[in-house]
């Protein structure tokens, strides 16, 4: 009986030691579980933040796509307007060339009129008193021819200025057309790329 009581005492000590170890292990398991819970909570918050960021990126990509489309439309409109302006300036330059030809014809007529008036003045001088009236007419005719010649010269200068301005404007519009075409191509490329990025970002946001 004494031996059995001794063994029971030893068993109680072992049970008490095991219970203490179980309590310590339970505390450790509880601490690990709490740590895992906190980690999961943090990961969940991080995932939600990533999802929100992906959604924001998708919205930004859509806005960029809309803006790029507007730039593309404006560039196309600018290209159309520039081409129309170039065609009109070319027509104006052609008309200026026609005016120059007409002015040259008028100048030739004025020169002939001046020559005829000069000959008429000489003949009137030879005729003496009888040709005095004709001499006056010839003098006025020469003055008129000289005025016409001066006006034709001024018009030639003006037409030359118009032609030079037209050439400069055409050159500027050609440069503008090139810029508009390049802008349209760049905007089109940006639009296509942002659309692809928006679609990829939306898929990533949905997956997250």
């Amino acid at each position: 009986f004494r031996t059995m009581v001794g063994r029971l005492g030893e068993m109680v000590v072992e049970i008490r030691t095991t219970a203490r170890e179980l309590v310590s292990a339970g505390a450790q398991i509880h601490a690990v579980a709490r740590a895992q819970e906190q980690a999961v909570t943090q990961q969940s918050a991080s995932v939600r933040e990533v999802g929100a960021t992906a959604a924001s990126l998708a919205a930004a990509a859509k806005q960029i796509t809309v803006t790029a489309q507007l730039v593309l439309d404006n560039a196309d409109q600018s290209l159309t307007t520039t081409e129309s302006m170039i065609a009109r300036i070319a027509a104006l330059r052609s008309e200026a060339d026609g005016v120059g030809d007409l002015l040259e014809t008028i100048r030739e007529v004025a020169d002939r009129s001046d020559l005829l008036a000069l000959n008429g003045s000489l003949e009137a001088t030879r005729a003496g008193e009888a040709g005095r009236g004709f001499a006056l007419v010839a003098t006025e005719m020469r003055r008129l021819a000289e005025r016409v010649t001066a006006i034709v010269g001024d018009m030639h200068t003006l037409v030359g200025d118009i032609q030079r301005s037209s050439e400069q404007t055409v050159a500027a519009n050609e440069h503008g057309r090139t810029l508009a075409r390049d802008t349209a191509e760049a905007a089109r490329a940006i639009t296509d790329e942002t659309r692809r990025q928006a679609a990829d970002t939306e898929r990533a946001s949905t997956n997250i």
Side-chain angles (χ1 to χ4, degrees):
F1 181 75
R2 288 177 181 176
T3 301
M4 185 178 64
V5 169
R7 289 179 179 177
L8 287 176
E10 293 176 356
M11 291 178 63
V12 169
V13 172
E14 291 179 358
I15 291 172
R16 183 178 298 173
T17 301
T18 302
R20 289 176 180 176
E21 292 177 353
L22 288 175
V23 169
S24 177
Q28 292 178 358
I29 292 172
H30 180 69
V32 171
R34 288 293 301 276
Q36 289 181 350
E37 182 181 1
Q38 292 177 356
V40 170
T41 301
Q42 292 177 354
Q43 289 179 355
S44 177
S46 298
V47 169
R48 284 196 297 271
E49 183 178 356
V50 172
T53 302
S56 298
L57 289 175
K62 287 183 179 180
Q63 184 62 37
I64 293 173
T65 302
V66 173
T67 303
Q69 185 64 44
L70 291 176
V71 173
L72 176 60
D73 295 339
N74 291 333
D76 289 337
Q77 183 64 32
S78 176
L79 181 61
T80 302
T81 303
T82 302
E83 290 178 348
S84 176
M85 187 178 297
I86 290 175
R88 292 180 181 177
I89 292 174
L92 176 62
R93 185 168 55 185
S94 178
E95 292 177 359
D97 293 338
V99 171
D101 295 338
L102 179 60
L103 289 175
E104 187 63 26
T105 302
I106 293 174
R107 187 186 64 78
E108 291 178 359
V109 171
D111 290 341
R112 291 178 183 176
S113 298
D114 184 46
L115 182 61
L116 290 175
L118 178 61
N119 291 333
S121 297
L122 293 176
E123 293 297 328
T125 301
R126 292 177 184 176
E129 188 67 24
R132 181 177 300 176
F134 186 73
L136 293 175
V137 173
T139 300
E140 291 298 325
M141 188 174 178
R142 288 195 65 188
R143 290 179 181 174
L144 179 61
E146 289 174 355
R147 289 180 59 190
V148 170
T149 302
I151 292 173
V152 168
D154 294 339
M155 291 297 296
H156 266 302
T157 302
L158 180 59
V159 170
D161 293 340
I162 293 174
Q163 289 175 337
R164 284 189 294 272
S165 298
S166 298
E167 291 175 357
Q168 294 174 357
T169 305
V170 167
N173 285 326
E174 287 288 349
H175 182 64
R177 180 167 61 181
T178 301
L179 289 178
R181 186 181 296 111
D182 294 342
T183 302
E185 292 177 356
R188 188 174 291 107
I190 291 173
T191 301
D192 295 339
E193 182 63 26
T194 50
R195 283 175 179 170
R196 285 194 294 268
Q197 290 183 358
D200 294 340
T201 307
E202 285 182 355
R203 284 195 295 271
S205 177
T206 300
N207 291 334
I208 291 173

